[in-house]
Amino acid sequence: MKNFTSVSDVEDLQEIIKKALQIKENPLSETEKGKGKTIGLVFLNSSLRTRLSSQIAAQNLGLNVLTLNAAQEAWNLEFADGAVMNGDTVEHIKDAIEVLNQYCGIIAVRCFAGMKSKEDDINENILSQFEKYAKVPVISLESATRHPLQSLADCITITENWNKEQKPKVVLTWAPHIKPIAQAVGNSFAEWMQQMDVDFVITNPEGYDLDKNFTKDTPVIHDQDEALKDADFVYVKNWSSFDEYAAMPEVKESWMLTNEKLANTNEAKVMHCLPVRRNVELSDEVMDGKNSIIYQQAKNRIFSAQAVFSEILDEITEK
Amino acid sequence: MKNFTSVSDVEDLQEIIKKALQIKENPLSETEKGKGKTIGLVFLNSSLRTRLSSQIAAQNLGLNVLTLNAAQEAWNLEFADGAVMNGDTVEHIKDAIEVLNQYCGIIAVRCFAGMKSKEDDINENILSQFEKYAKVPVISLESATRHPLQSLADCITITENWNKEQKPKVVLTWAPHIKPIAQAVGNSFAEWMQQMDVDFVITNPEGYDLDKNFTKDTPVIHDQDEALKDADFVYVKNWSSFDEYAAMPEVKESWMLTNEKLANTNEAKVMHCLPVRRNVELSDEVMDGKNSIIYQQAKNRIFSAQAVFSEILDEITEK
Amino acid sequence: MKNFTSVSDVEDLQEIIKKALQIKENPLSETEKGKGKTIGLVFLNSSLRTRLSSQIAAQNLGLNVLTLNAAQEAWNLEFADGAVMNGDTVEHIKDAIEVLNQYCGIIAVRCFAGMKSKEDDINENILSQFEKYAKVPVISLESATRHPLQSLADCITITENWNKEQKPKVVLTWAPHIKPIAQAVGNSFAEWMQQMDVDFVITNPEGYDLDKNFTKDTPVIHDQDEALKDADFVYVKNWSSFDEYAAMPEVKESWMLTNEKLANTNEAKVMHCLPVRRNVELSDEVMDGKNSIIYQQAKNRIFSAQAVFSEILDEITEK
């Protein structure tokens, strides 16, 4: 694996899930693999799970870890090519990346959607610069349009919770929120589910359809009750409008996931990437109920990251 | 030791002081003990000594260390049970704790008193959630009402500085400050001194008596000169009013510790937990004088933390 | 080496450059040297290269690393001797330093010029307190008037890029900026170049002459074209006025380094300490052009730091 920014970087999804589950059995089986190598974890945005799970994964592999809160600890970054830097920005992203090239064997970066320009976000105006200028492997810790380490953890979690022969029905359901949130987790989950052996549907209100480039042929159902029927897994997540970019068109029905709605499913396991707004996106009773596998999902972030870092290290070592 | 949030978690105080002093002699005697285990240091507030001494202690034990400045690096936390999270808070503390359970073998947390609601503070509205939801040992890095790692370091320091047969007289004296400060250090010191073989008295102005639940039968003297007489140790610390919670009732006498006041003691050693407001809480001449053992106290924070982490690791390993 | 705050701490410049280049060949040749020792990296200001390269260098030597963003993570510091601390400052720098003495075998600190009081800055009002109160070796990560780890990296880089018998001509050229910047990098580079076997000249507009205490007999030329003629190395850097302290006297000519100006040189290699304001200090074409050795310079920050830390460790171990 050369980079890890989307599902298309994964050669064999079942293989990497298997590897992650082996790592979960024995997280310290490769403590020498990263010795003498350095991973730089660059955060342009807040992070709890990604920050901690990436550090643990790297430490388990013997990697040196550099964590950089870019905005607070370093310099205000310029992203525009050719900019005359006579304003607030102090360092161009391409210079920061070139320096990271000199210091790190692997660069991992979190760069959320700005939610201001649809074009900037769909073009991944920040991650694309890492992809362009990095001379070492680049790992996305969530970018404007995708959150692949989360999606891999989601695949691991579904695999752990399904041992029947028939395919599970997996429903990604939109949930309410109080402010415009990026589509990255939804997009990414959709892409990865298309590679899994599952029946996958998406449900969201009118006006909230995700970008077709990610959902492809996935059925999109605007009636939540209908979509949830017989679901085996329900993935809860808010996102703002893609069409009317970053807007929040009014939604009249109640979309918060409750036990009442769950009753309609096949005792579905409930998933969420966290952080979650309790009693807005889903009810306390669901979050704390027996169907939630949300904390297991959070734990699997470690093994998702460790499997990816390990494969990336194979690539570096081969060179 | 299962948790460490107050003196009542210590089975044998003399034993742990002895252990800490052995660690001080040979800090690297247990470098394999924590291998493959992770301690999460969660800071909801500023920290210098606690932050650095905890990191050193953990590194000396071979632990992996995750440091999280929760507010700045992760998400704004919700503390109210059952809250409908449609406001500024992004993640519920119980979800954050459950995730830490998945990632860490030990959780250590700093959560100061909010100084707004007496009830919230005396009920330890944050620490109590860690105690309730953590499935791994919890260590207090100072909470609303106690600072036990500081108090243990204080006990170590007093032990190092006393080799006479009779009990030393230890005086906790209130000191002036410019804004309302929590009672945690004072409360905690009072609790621990009651477990030490010392004559312990507290002196503070009228209106500044600490919570009886911590001071118990400790004599409280409102005349500083009288209290300081023949003292062997003087612990200087400000706190705001407990009765009129977080208020600062006017104090007419001068309570700043000076050499003149020290003359009244039995060449008392002077202690303070730091940070200290020079020439407000105590004078430069005291701080920089030969009686101060304040930096020694700061150093002992390492061995206090390391003794506690080591005992907690015994517990984990036994399981 | 006891401390490292200026070129005068270096006994033999050629020797330490040679050592750094050996480290560059084999960065992991001394991984046991720092074992059981701790370096505290204290940042009072932003940092990218210094932060990361120092961490890598320390890790390569097996040192424990404590990184402290003093203002954000710890307490607001007081710098005035004898201050009555009844204002915004919570901890006196000398107490913070004494605590670092207890915790660290080496203290490294970044403390930029305040750019408000010329006297405070030229007297190094912060670094001088570290030099006064530290009981362990002190390393400057850039102070008010100098940036010695940068300058050593600069010397390493020039050495790597010059294999002719005659001395290279090295030109330090002032560059435009939009706000007042300290003279530290310029001062420091001037001091170190005087110890190198080079022909060194400085060029800057009238009103921007650096402090004579640093530049000594170095020729200062106010005509950039004249200065650049036949240059082998051009070091680009802005600084504000020293005479009219921190002012920015109007400059009528264009001082931004461009390819056109470079044509006048002996195919000079271009250097800059970063971060750089593109198209203000130098043009994109220069930054991204074949003459730039700026990223190599950034990489050499690791080996500059590692050579210094290694020499400091020799000193500690000898004691």
Short mmCIF file of all heavy atoms in Angstrom, two decimals, chain B residues 28 46-47 49 51-53 55-56 59 69 72 178 274-280 284 287-288 295 298-299 301-302, chain C residues 36 64-66 68 72-75 82-92 94-96 98-100 102-103:
data_model
loop_
_atom_site.label_atom_id
_atom_site.label_comp_id
_atom_site.label_asym_id
_atom_site.label_seq_id
_atom_site.Cartn_x
_atom_site.Cartn_y
_atom_site.Cartn_z
N LEU B 28 14.78 4.01 37.76
CA LEU B 28 14.68 3.12 36.60
C LEU B 28 14.71 1.64 37.00
O LEU B 28 15.12 0.78 36.23
CB LEU B 28 15.80 3.43 35.60
CG LEU B 28 15.80 4.87 35.06
CD1 LEU B 28 16.95 5.09 34.11
CD2 LEU B 28 14.47 5.19 34.37
N SER B 46 -5.03 23.63 32.92
CA SER B 46 -3.60 23.86 32.81
C SER B 46 -2.81 22.98 33.77
O SER B 46 -3.33 22.57 34.81
CB SER B 46 -3.29 25.32 33.13
OG SER B 46 -3.80 26.16 32.12
N SER B 47 -1.57 22.75 33.42
CA SER B 47 -0.73 21.91 34.27
C SER B 47 0.72 22.05 33.85
O SER B 47 1.03 22.02 32.66
CB SER B 47 -1.15 20.45 34.13
OG SER B 47 -0.28 19.62 34.86
N ARG B 49 3.69 21.01 36.57
CA ARG B 49 4.29 19.93 37.36
C ARG B 49 3.59 18.60 37.16
O ARG B 49 4.23 17.56 36.98
CB ARG B 49 4.27 20.28 38.86
CG ARG B 49 5.38 21.21 39.29
CD ARG B 49 4.94 22.14 40.39
NE ARG B 49 4.00 23.10 39.84
CZ ARG B 49 4.37 24.24 39.23
NH1 ARG B 49 5.63 24.57 39.14
NH2 ARG B 49 3.46 25.05 38.72
N ARG B 51 1.66 17.59 34.73
CA ARG B 51 1.85 17.12 33.36
C ARG B 51 3.23 16.47 33.19
O ARG B 51 3.34 15.33 32.73
CB ARG B 51 1.73 18.33 32.43
CG ARG B 51 1.90 18.06 30.96
CD ARG B 51 1.90 19.39 30.18
NE ARG B 51 0.66 20.13 30.34
CZ ARG B 51 -0.44 19.93 29.60
NH1 ARG B 51 -0.43 19.02 28.64
NH2 ARG B 51 -1.52 20.65 29.80
N LEU B 52 4.26 17.20 33.59
CA LEU B 52 5.62 16.70 33.33
C LEU B 52 5.98 15.54 34.27
O LEU B 52 6.55 14.54 33.84
CB LEU B 52 6.64 17.84 33.47
CG LEU B 52 6.47 19.01 32.49
CD1 LEU B 52 7.63 19.99 32.64
CD2 LEU B 52 6.36 18.56 31.04
N SER B 53 5.63 15.66 35.55
CA SER B 53 6.02 14.60 36.49
C SER B 53 5.29 13.30 36.17
O SER B 53 5.86 12.21 36.29
CB SER B 53 5.76 15.03 37.93
OG SER B 53 4.40 15.26 38.17
N GLN B 55 4.31 12.35 33.17
CA GLN B 55 4.94 11.79 31.98
C GLN B 55 6.26 11.10 32.33
O GLN B 55 6.55 10.01 31.84
CB GLN B 55 5.20 12.89 30.94
CG GLN B 55 3.93 13.38 30.25
CD GLN B 55 4.23 14.40 29.16
OE1 GLN B 55 5.00 14.17 28.25
NE2 GLN B 55 3.62 15.56 29.26
N ILE B 56 7.05 11.76 33.17
CA ILE B 56 8.33 11.16 33.56
C ILE B 56 8.09 9.85 34.30
O ILE B 56 8.72 8.83 34.02
CB ILE B 56 9.15 12.14 34.43
CG1 ILE B 56 9.54 13.37 33.62
CG2 ILE B 56 10.39 11.45 35.00
CD1 ILE B 56 10.11 14.50 34.46
N GLN B 59 7.03 7.18 31.90
CA GLN B 59 8.16 6.75 31.05
C GLN B 59 9.14 5.89 31.85
O GLN B 59 9.66 4.91 31.34
CB GLN B 59 8.88 7.97 30.47
CG GLN B 59 8.05 8.67 29.39
CD GLN B 59 8.67 9.99 28.93
OE1 GLN B 59 9.34 10.67 29.69
NE2 GLN B 59 8.41 10.36 27.68
N ASN B 69 -5.00 17.25 25.74
CA ASN B 69 -5.56 18.52 26.20
C ASN B 69 -6.99 18.56 25.68
O ASN B 69 -7.23 18.99 24.55
CB ASN B 69 -4.74 19.69 25.65
CG ASN B 69 -3.32 19.69 26.15
OD1 ASN B 69 -3.07 19.55 27.34
ND2 ASN B 69 -2.36 19.83 25.25
N GLN B 72 -8.80 21.76 23.97
CA GLN B 72 -8.17 22.34 22.78
C GLN B 72 -7.97 21.32 21.66
O GLN B 72 -8.03 21.65 20.49
CB GLN B 72 -6.79 22.93 23.13
CG GLN B 72 -6.81 23.98 24.22
CD GLN B 72 -6.47 23.39 25.60
OE1 GLN B 72 -7.09 22.43 26.04
NE2 GLN B 72 -5.51 23.97 26.26
N ILE B 178 -5.40 36.93 44.44
CA ILE B 178 -6.18 38.00 43.81
C ILE B 178 -7.46 37.50 43.18
O ILE B 178 -8.26 38.27 42.69
CB ILE B 178 -5.36 38.75 42.74
CG1 ILE B 178 -5.00 37.81 41.58
CG2 ILE B 178 -4.10 39.37 43.32
CD1 ILE B 178 -4.95 38.52 40.27
N LEU B 274 2.94 25.08 44.35
CA LEU B 274 3.22 25.78 43.08
C LEU B 274 2.07 25.58 42.07
O LEU B 274 1.44 24.54 42.13
CB LEU B 274 4.55 25.35 42.47
CG LEU B 274 5.81 25.63 43.30
CD1 LEU B 274 7.05 25.09 42.61
CD2 LEU B 274 5.97 27.13 43.56
N PRO B 275 1.81 26.53 41.17
CA PRO B 275 2.49 27.81 41.03
C PRO B 275 2.16 28.74 42.19
O PRO B 275 1.07 28.67 42.75
CB PRO B 275 1.92 28.37 39.73
CG PRO B 275 0.55 27.77 39.63
CD PRO B 275 0.69 26.39 40.22
N VAL B 276 3.11 29.61 42.51
CA VAL B 276 2.92 30.55 43.62
C VAL B 276 2.99 31.98 43.12
O VAL B 276 3.78 32.30 42.23
CB VAL B 276 3.99 30.33 44.72
CG1 VAL B 276 5.40 30.66 44.24
CG2 VAL B 276 3.64 31.14 45.97
N ARG B 277 2.14 32.82 43.68
CA ARG B 277 2.20 34.26 43.38
C ARG B 277 3.20 34.88 44.35
O ARG B 277 2.87 35.10 45.53
CB ARG B 277 0.82 34.87 43.56
CG ARG B 277 -0.21 34.29 42.59
CD ARG B 277 -0.93 35.38 41.90
NE ARG B 277 -1.76 34.89 40.81
CZ ARG B 277 -2.19 35.69 39.84
NH1 ARG B 277 -1.86 36.97 39.83
NH2 ARG B 277 -2.94 35.22 38.88
N ARG B 278 4.39 35.17 43.86
CA ARG B 278 5.42 35.78 44.70
C ARG B 278 4.98 37.17 45.18
O ARG B 278 4.39 37.93 44.43
CB ARG B 278 6.73 35.91 43.92
CG ARG B 278 7.48 34.59 43.76
CD ARG B 278 8.63 34.75 42.78
NE ARG B 278 9.48 33.56 42.79
CZ ARG B 278 10.68 33.49 43.39
NH1 ARG B 278 11.17 34.55 44.02
NH2 ARG B 278 11.37 32.37 43.35
N ASN B 279 5.34 37.44 46.42
CA ASN B 279 5.05 38.73 47.05
C ASN B 279 3.56 39.00 47.18
O ASN B 279 3.14 40.13 47.43
CB ASN B 279 5.78 39.86 46.31
CG ASN B 279 7.28 39.60 46.28
OD1 ASN B 279 7.87 39.29 47.30
ND2 ASN B 279 7.88 39.68 45.09
N VAL B 280 2.77 37.94 47.04
CA VAL B 280 1.34 38.00 47.34
C VAL B 280 1.06 36.89 48.36
O VAL B 280 0.62 37.15 49.48
CB VAL B 280 0.48 37.83 46.08
CG1 VAL B 280 -1.00 37.74 46.43
CG2 VAL B 280 0.74 38.97 45.09
N ASP B 284 9.43 37.07 48.31
CA ASP B 284 10.62 36.57 47.63
C ASP B 284 11.63 36.00 48.62
O ASP B 284 12.23 34.95 48.37
CB ASP B 284 11.30 37.72 46.86
CG ASP B 284 10.74 37.92 45.46
OD1 ASP B 284 10.05 37.01 44.96
OD2 ASP B 284 10.99 38.98 44.87
N MET B 287 10.54 32.56 49.62
CA MET B 287 10.60 31.64 48.47
C MET B 287 12.04 31.26 48.16
O MET B 287 12.33 30.10 47.87
CB MET B 287 9.96 32.34 47.27
CG MET B 287 9.76 31.47 46.04
SD MET B 287 8.50 30.20 46.28
CE MET B 287 8.97 29.01 45.02
N ASP B 288 12.92 32.23 48.19
CA ASP B 288 14.31 32.00 47.80
C ASP B 288 15.21 31.71 49.01
O ASP B 288 16.42 31.56 48.86
CB ASP B 288 14.84 33.21 47.03
CG ASP B 288 14.03 33.47 45.77
OD1 ASP B 288 13.57 32.49 45.17
OD2 ASP B 288 13.87 34.65 45.39
N TYR B 295 11.00 23.42 46.01
CA TYR B 295 11.43 22.76 44.77
C TYR B 295 11.62 21.26 44.99
O TYR B 295 11.38 20.45 44.10
CB TYR B 295 12.70 23.40 44.21
CG TYR B 295 12.55 24.88 43.91
CD1 TYR B 295 13.49 25.80 44.36
CD2 TYR B 295 11.45 25.36 43.20
CE1 TYR B 295 13.36 27.15 44.09
CE2 TYR B 295 11.31 26.71 42.93
CZ TYR B 295 12.27 27.61 43.37
OH TYR B 295 12.13 28.94 43.11
N ALA B 298 8.38 19.81 44.59
CA ALA B 298 8.04 19.67 43.17
C ALA B 298 8.70 18.44 42.58
O ALA B 298 8.08 17.69 41.82
CB ALA B 298 8.46 20.92 42.40
N LYS B 299 9.96 18.22 42.95
CA LYS B 299 10.67 17.05 42.44
C LYS B 299 9.97 15.77 42.90
O LYS B 299 9.85 14.80 42.13
CB LYS B 299 12.12 17.05 42.92
CG LYS B 299 12.83 15.74 42.56
CD LYS B 299 14.32 15.89 42.45
CE LYS B 299 14.89 14.78 41.59
NZ LYS B 299 16.11 15.13 40.93
N ARG B 301 7.04 15.14 43.20
CA ARG B 301 5.85 14.83 42.41
C ARG B 301 6.12 13.63 41.48
O ARG B 301 5.23 12.83 41.20
CB ARG B 301 5.40 16.05 41.59
CG ARG B 301 4.87 17.22 42.42
CD ARG B 301 3.57 16.87 43.10
NE ARG B 301 2.60 16.32 42.18
CZ ARG B 301 1.80 17.05 41.40
NH1 ARG B 301 1.82 18.36 41.49
NH2 ARG B 301 0.95 16.47 40.58
N ILE B 302 7.34 13.55 40.96
CA ILE B 302 7.69 12.40 40.10
C ILE B 302 7.52 11.09 40.86
O ILE B 302 6.90 10.15 40.37
CB ILE B 302 9.16 12.48 39.61
CG1 ILE B 302 9.41 13.75 38.79
CG2 ILE B 302 9.53 11.24 38.79
CD1 ILE B 302 10.90 13.98 38.47
N GLY C 36 17.41 6.96 29.81
CA GLY C 36 17.21 7.31 31.21
C GLY C 36 17.37 8.80 31.49
O GLY C 36 17.24 9.23 32.63
N ASN C 64 14.33 10.63 26.68
CA ASN C 64 12.92 10.94 26.91
C ASN C 64 12.68 12.39 26.54
O ASN C 64 13.50 13.25 26.85
CB ASN C 64 12.56 10.76 28.39
CG ASN C 64 12.48 9.30 28.79
OD1 ASN C 64 12.30 8.42 27.96
ND2 ASN C 64 12.61 9.06 30.08
N VAL C 65 11.57 12.66 25.91
CA VAL C 65 11.28 14.03 25.47
C VAL C 65 10.00 14.52 26.15
O VAL C 65 8.96 13.87 26.09
CB VAL C 65 11.05 14.09 23.94
CG1 VAL C 65 10.89 15.53 23.50
CG2 VAL C 65 12.20 13.43 23.20
N LEU C 66 10.10 15.66 26.80
CA LEU C 66 8.92 16.35 27.31
C LEU C 66 8.75 17.63 26.51
O LEU C 66 9.68 18.43 26.44
CB LEU C 66 9.11 16.72 28.78
CG LEU C 66 9.34 15.60 29.78
CD1 LEU C 66 9.58 16.17 31.17
CD2 LEU C 66 8.14 14.64 29.81
N LEU C 68 6.61 21.08 26.10
CA LEU C 68 5.68 21.93 26.84
C LEU C 68 5.39 23.21 26.06
O LEU C 68 6.30 24.00 25.80
CB LEU C 68 6.27 22.29 28.22
CG LEU C 68 5.34 23.06 29.15
CD1 LEU C 68 4.22 22.16 29.65
CD2 LEU C 68 6.11 23.64 30.32
N GLN C 72 0.00 27.86 26.61
CA GLN C 72 -1.29 27.21 26.45
C GLN C 72 -1.50 26.06 27.44
O GLN C 72 -2.61 25.81 27.87
CB GLN C 72 -1.45 26.65 25.03
CG GLN C 72 -1.29 27.66 23.93
CD GLN C 72 0.12 27.66 23.35
OE1 GLN C 72 1.12 27.77 24.06
NE2 GLN C 72 0.21 27.54 22.03
N GLU C 73 -0.44 25.34 27.77
CA GLU C 73 -0.61 24.13 28.57
C GLU C 73 -0.30 24.34 30.05
O GLU C 73 -0.79 23.58 30.87
CB GLU C 73 0.31 23.02 28.02
CG GLU C 73 -0.05 22.62 26.60
CD GLU C 73 0.79 21.48 26.08
OE1 GLU C 73 1.95 21.33 26.52
OE2 GLU C 73 0.29 20.73 25.21
N ALA C 74 0.54 25.32 30.35
CA ALA C 74 0.90 25.53 31.75
C ALA C 74 0.35 26.88 32.20
O ALA C 74 -0.85 27.13 32.05
CB ALA C 74 2.41 25.41 31.94
N TRP C 75 1.19 27.76 32.71
CA TRP C 75 0.70 28.97 33.35
C TRP C 75 1.32 30.20 32.72
O TRP C 75 2.43 30.17 32.21
CB TRP C 75 1.04 28.91 34.85
CG TRP C 75 0.54 27.66 35.49
CD1 TRP C 75 1.30 26.55 35.79
CD2 TRP C 75 -0.80 27.34 35.85
NE1 TRP C 75 0.49 25.57 36.33
CE2 TRP C 75 -0.79 26.02 36.39
CE3 TRP C 75 -2.01 28.03 35.79
CZ2 TRP C 75 -1.95 25.39 36.84
CZ3 TRP C 75 -3.16 27.40 36.25
CH2 TRP C 75 -3.13 26.11 36.77
N GLY C 82 11.43 40.41 41.38
CA GLY C 82 10.86 41.17 42.48
C GLY C 82 9.42 41.59 42.29
O GLY C 82 8.87 42.33 43.12
N ALA C 83 8.79 41.10 41.24
CA ALA C 83 7.41 41.51 40.96
C ALA C 83 6.46 41.11 42.09
O ALA C 83 6.60 40.03 42.67
CB ALA C 83 6.93 40.86 39.66
N VAL C 84 5.54 41.99 42.39
CA VAL C 84 4.40 41.65 43.24
C VAL C 84 3.36 41.07 42.29
O VAL C 84 2.79 41.78 41.47
CB VAL C 84 3.85 42.89 43.96
CG1 VAL C 84 2.61 42.52 44.78
CG2 VAL C 84 4.93 43.49 44.87
N MET C 85 3.15 39.76 42.38
CA MET C 85 2.39 39.08 41.33
C MET C 85 0.88 39.13 41.58
O MET C 85 0.22 38.12 41.74
CB MET C 85 2.90 37.65 41.18
CG MET C 85 4.29 37.60 40.57
SD MET C 85 5.00 35.93 40.56
CE MET C 85 3.77 35.05 39.59
N ASN C 86 0.38 40.35 41.52
CA ASN C 86 -1.06 40.53 41.75
C ASN C 86 -1.78 40.89 40.45
O ASN C 86 -2.81 41.53 40.46
CB ASN C 86 -1.30 41.58 42.83
CG ASN C 86 -0.66 42.90 42.46
OD1 ASN C 86 -0.10 43.03 41.37
ND2 ASN C 86 -0.71 43.86 43.35
N GLY C 87 -1.21 40.44 39.34
CA GLY C 87 -1.83 40.73 38.04
C GLY C 87 -2.18 39.45 37.29
O GLY C 87 -2.68 38.50 37.88
N ASP C 88 -1.87 39.45 36.00
CA ASP C 88 -2.25 38.33 35.14
C ASP C 88 -1.30 37.14 35.20
O ASP C 88 -1.64 36.06 34.74
CB ASP C 88 -2.29 38.81 33.67
CG ASP C 88 -3.48 39.70 33.41
OD1 ASP C 88 -4.43 39.64 34.21
OD2 ASP C 88 -3.44 40.45 32.42
N THR C 89 -0.10 37.37 35.69
CA THR C 89 0.88 36.28 35.65
C THR C 89 0.72 35.38 36.85
O THR C 89 0.47 35.82 37.96
CB THR C 89 2.31 36.84 35.60
OG1 THR C 89 2.52 37.66 36.75
CG2 THR C 89 2.52 37.65 34.33
N VAL C 90 0.86 34.07 36.60
CA VAL C 90 0.52 33.07 37.60
C VAL C 90 1.76 32.40 38.17
O VAL C 90 1.77 31.97 39.32
CB VAL C 90 -0.43 32.02 36.97
CG1 VAL C 90 -0.75 30.90 37.95
CG2 VAL C 90 -1.70 32.68 36.49
N GLU C 91 2.82 32.32 37.37
CA GLU C 91 4.03 31.64 37.86
C GLU C 91 5.25 32.42 37.40
O GLU C 91 5.34 32.83 36.24
CB GLU C 91 4.08 30.20 37.31
CG GLU C 91 5.35 29.47 37.71
CD GLU C 91 5.15 27.97 37.94
OE1 GLU C 91 4.41 27.34 37.17
OE2 GLU C 91 5.74 27.44 38.90
N HIS C 92 6.22 32.58 38.31
CA HIS C 92 7.44 33.29 37.95
C HIS C 92 8.35 32.37 37.16
O HIS C 92 8.49 31.20 37.49
CB HIS C 92 8.16 33.79 39.20
CG HIS C 92 9.12 34.91 38.90
ND1 HIS C 92 10.32 34.70 38.27
CD2 HIS C 92 9.01 36.25 39.09
CE1 HIS C 92 10.94 35.87 38.11
NE2 HIS C 92 10.15 36.83 38.59
N LYS C 94 11.39 32.07 37.17
CA LYS C 94 12.46 31.39 37.90
C LYS C 94 11.96 30.17 38.65
O LYS C 94 12.70 29.20 38.80
CB LYS C 94 13.31 32.33 38.75
CG LYS C 94 12.71 33.03 39.89
CD LYS C 94 13.84 33.91 40.53
CE LYS C 94 13.26 34.89 41.52
NZ LYS C 94 14.29 35.78 42.09
N ASP C 95 10.71 30.18 39.06
CA ASP C 95 10.16 28.98 39.69
C ASP C 95 9.93 27.88 38.65
O ASP C 95 10.21 26.71 38.89
CB ASP C 95 8.85 29.32 40.42
CG ASP C 95 9.12 30.28 41.57
OD1 ASP C 95 10.21 30.17 42.18
OD2 ASP C 95 8.28 31.15 41.85
N ALA C 96 9.43 28.27 37.49
CA ALA C 96 9.25 27.29 36.42
C ALA C 96 10.59 26.65 36.06
O ALA C 96 10.69 25.43 35.89
CB ALA C 96 8.62 27.96 35.19
N GLU C 98 13.29 26.39 37.99
CA GLU C 98 13.76 25.53 39.09
C GLU C 98 13.04 24.18 39.05
O GLU C 98 13.62 23.14 39.35
CB GLU C 98 13.54 26.21 40.45
CG GLU C 98 14.53 27.31 40.76
CD GLU C 98 15.96 26.83 41.06
OE1 GLU C 98 16.23 25.62 41.02
OE2 GLU C 98 16.81 27.70 41.31
N VAL C 99 11.77 24.19 38.67
CA VAL C 99 11.04 22.93 38.56
C VAL C 99 11.58 22.10 37.39
O VAL C 99 11.79 20.89 37.52
CB VAL C 99 9.53 23.19 38.43
CG1 VAL C 99 8.79 21.91 38.08
CG2 VAL C 99 8.99 23.79 39.73
N LEU C 100 11.85 22.78 36.27
CA LEU C 100 12.46 22.07 35.13
C LEU C 100 13.81 21.46 35.52
O LEU C 100 14.16 20.36 35.10
CB LEU C 100 12.60 23.01 33.93
CG LEU C 100 11.27 23.44 33.29
CD1 LEU C 100 11.50 24.57 32.30
CD2 LEU C 100 10.59 22.26 32.59
N GLN C 102 14.50 20.18 38.27
CA GLN C 102 14.21 18.95 39.02
C GLN C 102 13.80 17.81 38.09
O GLN C 102 13.92 16.65 38.43
CB GLN C 102 13.07 19.17 40.04
CG GLN C 102 13.24 20.37 40.95
CD GLN C 102 14.40 20.22 41.91
OE1 GLN C 102 14.73 19.12 42.34
NE2 GLN C 102 15.05 21.33 42.21
N TYR C 103 13.25 18.18 36.93
CA TYR C 103 12.62 17.18 36.07
C TYR C 103 13.48 16.77 34.87
O TYR C 103 13.25 15.71 34.29
CB TYR C 103 11.28 17.70 35.54
CG TYR C 103 10.18 17.85 36.57
CD1 TYR C 103 8.95 18.43 36.23
CD2 TYR C 103 10.33 17.39 37.88
CE1 TYR C 103 7.93 18.55 37.16
CE2 TYR C 103 9.32 17.52 38.81
CZ TYR C 103 8.12 18.11 38.45
OH TYR C 103 7.11 18.24 39.37
#
